[in-house]
Amino acid sequence: MEIWINPACSKCRSAVQLLDAEGAEYTVRRYLEDVPSPDEIRAVLDRLGLEPWDITRTQEADAKELGLKEWPREAGSRERWISALAEHPRLIQRPIITADDGTAVVARTDEAVREALDR
């Protein structure tokens, strides 16, 4: 299992604490330093069963600067969104846990972390 985190994020710290408390084996990816490629973002989206706009932090300054709220949320715009996430990783919702069974969850709650642990 791998968890994408921003160490400054309280939700990320909580998720890591819960993983540790449960004795989980996992790898930490500090995605602001080890930025995911567009292909990695596509793979995580497939595992999540979500679209890029579903995991985009639209309140971030970068999002406002790019005008993301105005971007179409449709298949034809998918690659534009993925490129924005790769170029501005701060926009990626966090934490994301990729589970051993090939799925993933946006682990913003203890319940979501436990869901990943149960997979």
Side-chain angles (χ1 to χ4, degrees), residues 19-78:
L19 290 174
D20 288 344
E22 295 293 328
E25 291 186 28
Y26 62 95
T27 303
V28 170
R29 179 171 187 170
R30 293 179 178 211
Y31 71 93
L32 296 179
E33 298 163 17
D34 182 7
V35 178
S37 70
D39 284 342
E40 289 174 306
I41 293 169
R42 280 186 211 92
V44 163
L45 287 167
D46 289 346
R47 292 174 82 165
L48 287 166
L50 296 173
E51 293 297 336
W53 45 85
D54 297 325
I55 66 162
T56 301
R57 298 171 53 86
T58 57
Q59 297 303 314
E60 291 288 324
D62 286 352
K64 291 176 181 176
E65 208 172 284
L66 293 168
L68 288 182
K69 283 193 173 186
E70 308 305 318
W71 289 15
R73 296 176 181 219
E74 59 193 20
S77 298
R78 190 172 200 263

Side-chain angles (χ1 to χ4, degrees), residues 4-19:
W4 291 10
I5 68 162
N6 171 353
C9 167
S10 63
K11 301 274 187 198
C12 293
R13 291 192 306 271
S14 293
V16 167
Q17 286 174 346
L18 183 54
L19 290 174

Side-chain angles (χ1 to χ4, degrees), residues 31-32 35-36 57 62 84-93:
Y31 71 93
L32 296 179
V35 178
R57 298 171 53 86
D62 286 352
L85 293 174
E87 291 170 26
H88 306 276
R90 197 170 294 286
L91 296 177
I92 299 171
Q93 190 59 264

